[in-house]
Each structure stands twice: as C-alpha cells, then as structure tokens.
Amino acid sequence: MGLLGHDFLKELRLNEGYSLDALSKRTGLSPSHIKKIEDGQSMPGVDTLFDLCKGLNITIYDFFEHIGVSLYRSPNIIIAPTPSEERRKTRGVAVQGFEPRTLRI
C-alpha cells in the first residue's frame, strides 16, 4: 500500500523543476527512496513526509488538505517542516481518527 497523494508529491517535484537527485539533496533522502514513494511502492513515515514537504516548499497542512484529510490545528502547536531535533520537541500532532504520533503516513 502506497501513500495517498504520492502522485501529488511527484507533480510538485516536477512543477518545481527538481530532479530526483536535486530533491534528494534538499531532503537528505535517497533518490531511490523518493522514487518509490512517488510511484506508490513505499509508504513514508511522518519524518520522511515532513522532509519531503520541506524540500518541496509546502507545509504538511498543504499536503493533507490536498488528499482531503483535516489536521487538528492548535494555536499552541506549530506543525511545520523543521530540523529533526526541533521536530522531536513538537507534541500533539493529530489527524482526525488517529492518536498523536501513531499515524504512519
């Protein structure tokens, strides 16, 4: 089972003019991993999805809104692509119907 919206990620990459190698450099992910995600052959974890969104200049909210999932937004919680060490400090990510930190995207 692949990521819902994998085609959206590929479309964004192509619209931004990034090759797989260029997006790899922006995200720290391997080109083959990105290709598998875009082709729907691999389902990324939350950290990987954050990295892809950051590399494609969109927010995680933009991605989820595109696939029709409403994210819980709290004024006390900032969910944005950030360096990994900062992201680990963030708590309370919630998607309707899922417990925080258990959603595998």
Side-chain angles (χ1 to χ4, degrees), residues 5 10 26-27 31-32 35 37 52 57 68 76 80-81 88-89 92 100:
K10 184 174 187 175
R26 293 178 59 83
T27 62
S32 62
K35 176 98 170 102
I37 293 167
L52 284 169
N57 303 314
N76 300 325
R88 287 189 185 98
K89 295 177 186 175

Side-chain angles (χ1 to χ4, degrees), residues 75-89:
N76 300 325
I77 302 171
I78 299 171
I79 304 299
T82 60
S84 296
E85 61 277 358
E86 290 298 316
R87 188 168 51 241
R88 287 189 185 98
K89 295 177 186 175

